[in-house]
Amino acid sequence: MNVQPSELTGALAAEGSKLLACIHCGLCLEACPTYVHTADENDGPRGRIYLMRAVGEGRLDAASPSFERHINRCLGCRACESACPAGVEYGQLLEAARADLREGGRRRGHTDWLLGFTLRHIWSRPRRLRLAFAAARLMRDSGIAGWLLGSRLPRIVSARAEFALALLASSAPVAFGHEEADADARVESVPSVKRPDTTTAAPRAGAVRAQLFAGCVGEGLFARVNRAAERVLGVNGCAVEKTPAQVCCGALHAHAGDLEGARRLARQNIEAFAGGGASPVVTTAGGCGAMLASYAQMLEHDPAYAARARAFSERVRDVSQQLASTNLRTGAPHGPRVVATYDASCHLIHGQRAFSEPLMLLAAVPGLAFAPLEDSEVCCGGAGVYNLLQPDLSARVLGEKLTRIRETGARLVATGNAGCHMQLGAGARLAGLDLQVCHPVELLDESYRRAGMYSQTPATE
């Protein structure tokens, strides 16, 4: 039995003024990956906002198949926000729409049930989540995931199972120093708007104090990136403190429509990082960083946390943004000449507004040949678990991205988000593309190691 409309419009009705901000100019359409691929107005931001208004005003049932289809097909990349002249906060509207959709009385499939169970009973429980990631690392590092992919057995089960295994396998570390330049690559210097200072004088140790947001996937599968960030920040005069009580940022919960679950995690993180005063909260994943930066809006109606959430969000910095504020040191040449390119994380550029800073990290690696990536700012199709929930459309968006990467001739792609890392790696692996993926800070960390800028050989994950 469907819930009455008056009970369905809570989240979207509360965002009424934000819905009315849309002037329907259509400038967002060409920035929207799903609209570009489907040419359906309802798969663009303008059409989705029209559907949201209908639900928010009680004219459309949130359990409507049309509402569910087009809202769920959104990647949530927020490229429309950067293109919008009216400043529509689409990301918040999307999360409100999915909250109403979640409460709309619709029938849930096995995939939805499994996602909800995972978010409630694993992702929100740190101990269980650590055990889950320990099992995932064992499967990855033992070679089981790679063996299963090679056997093609997962494909027999389902294409989703095969892609999930490829995502896990692609999170393995890069073997730096074994890349070879492609003669057809369009090589040039890294197009940074400001070259980092090349001084070799060490900054004052401990001049800046920061706290690291490790992230659940970040620490679970990409701990090496967090350790690299700590070392690189330390060399550049930023003392990093760990915060053991931190939990998941809540992005997956919010994107799935579980706003209350996301708010609970937000409150826990605000409490966990309270001891840092006004020190920066540094992230290594664009998705996490954008979510942490949105706590101010998420808790704006919470009288106990609204002010604290605003103060917390103002402290959030991507590792590239934090390093860009220092006298960034250069390292040693990268050894074998490697042709690299850079793919921008959607949430890093549209959520945290980090455009040139990641490129500054690459520019600090001497001898790094750079191949510009056309449409670097366009979504890769990962979007959290979108690649498993909407595999067909995700594959179309990913296919376009891989085509652009092939055109560069690069063998190494750097990206600043764990989800993008796995999406690109999995797609390349299944497509037979010879490509390695890493975080920009990993390249700089390796350059520092080669230059002997660490007192001892950095530990690996």
Side-chain angles (χ1 to χ4, degrees), residues 175-265:
F176 287 115
H178 299 291
E179 308 89 351
E180 295 180 359
D182 191 316
D184 296 326
R186 298 180 288 113
V187 176
E188 56 184 63
S189 60
V190 181
S192 176
V193 295
K194 178 183 177 182
R195 297 286 295 187
D197 195 301
T198 56
T199 180
T200 57
R204 287 187 299 111
V208 177
R209 175 171 164 243
Q211 291 175 286
L212 179 71
F213 184 83
C216 46
V217 176
E219 195 65 23
L221 296 178
F222 294 92
R224 65 183 184 276
V225 175
N226 288 336
R227 304 295 83 78
E230 291 169 352
R231 291 189 292 267
V232 170
L233 285 164
V235 164
N236 286 285
C238 186
V240 180
E241 299 177 357
K242 296 185 179 180
T243 308
Q246 63 180 278
V247 293
C248 171
C249 67
L252 288 179
H253 295 74
H255 299 337
D258 183 8
L259 291 182
E260 197 47 52
R263 291 188 184 105
R264 282 195 297 271
L265 293 168

Side-chain angles (χ1 to χ4, degrees), residues 192-197 208 229 232-233 236-238 280 282-283 317-329 352-364 441 444 448:
S192 176
V193 295
K194 178 183 177 182
R195 297 286 295 187
D197 195 301
V208 177
V232 170
L233 285 164
N236 286 285
C238 186
V282 178
T283 67
R317 306 280 188 278
D318 181 68
V319 63
S320 64
Q321 293 174 316
Q322 184 62 30
L323 286 167
S325 69
T326 71
N327 189 21
L328 185 63
R329 302 175 66 186
Q352 289 187 273
R353 318 301 292 177
F355 297 95
S356 63
E357 292 90 343
L359 291 172
M360 290 178 66
L361 270 60
L362 300 182
V441 81
L444 186 54
Y448 284 0

Side-chain angles (χ1 to χ4, degrees), residues 274-359:
S279 62
V281 175
V282 178
T283 67
T284 58
C288 293
M291 186 64 194
L292 298 178
S294 73
Y295 282 2
Q297 291 77 31
M298 180 175 293
L299 297 175
E300 62 182 336
H301 302 301
D302 186 328
Y305 279 88
R308 297 178 66 187
R310 285 195 299 272
F312 176 85
S313 291
E314 290 173 358
R315 296 167 57 195
V316 178
R317 306 280 188 278
D318 181 68
V319 63
S320 64
Q321 293 174 316
Q322 184 62 30
L323 286 167
S325 69
T326 71
N327 189 21
L328 185 63
R329 302 175 66 186
T330 57
H334 190 70
R337 185 170 180 270
V338 54
V339 179
T341 192
Y342 172 72
D343 186 58
S345 155
C346 293
H347 286 94
L348 191 56
I349 57 175
H350 304 303
Q352 289 187 273
R353 318 301 292 177
F355 297 95
S356 63
E357 292 90 343
L359 291 172

Side-chain angles (χ1 to χ4, degrees), residues 12-96:
L12 280 170
E15 305 290 357
S17 60
K18 295 176 183 176
L19 284 168
L20 293 174
C22 177
I23 59 176
H24 305 286
C25 64
L27 292 177
C28 59
L29 294 179
E30 290 306 314
C32 176
T34 52
Y35 175 80
V36 168
H37 281 273
T38 68
D40 186 333
E41 174 73 22
N42 290 313
D43 281 331
R46 183 171 64 180
R48 290 188 178 109
I49 288 176
Y50 183 84
L51 293 173
M52 292 176 195
R53 284 187 61 181
V55 170
E57 295 167 1
R59 295 182 286 108
L60 179 67
D61 194 324
S64 162
S66 177
F67 184 65
E68 176 184 358
R69 173 180 173 81
H70 297 296
I71 294 301
N72 280 342
R73 290 181 74 170
C74 179
L75 283 153
C77 67
R78 297 173 60 179
C80 53
E81 291 188 16
S82 296
C84 179
V88 174
E89 296 171 320
Y90 180 84
Q92 295 173 45
L93 294 175
L94 177 65
E95 290 169 359

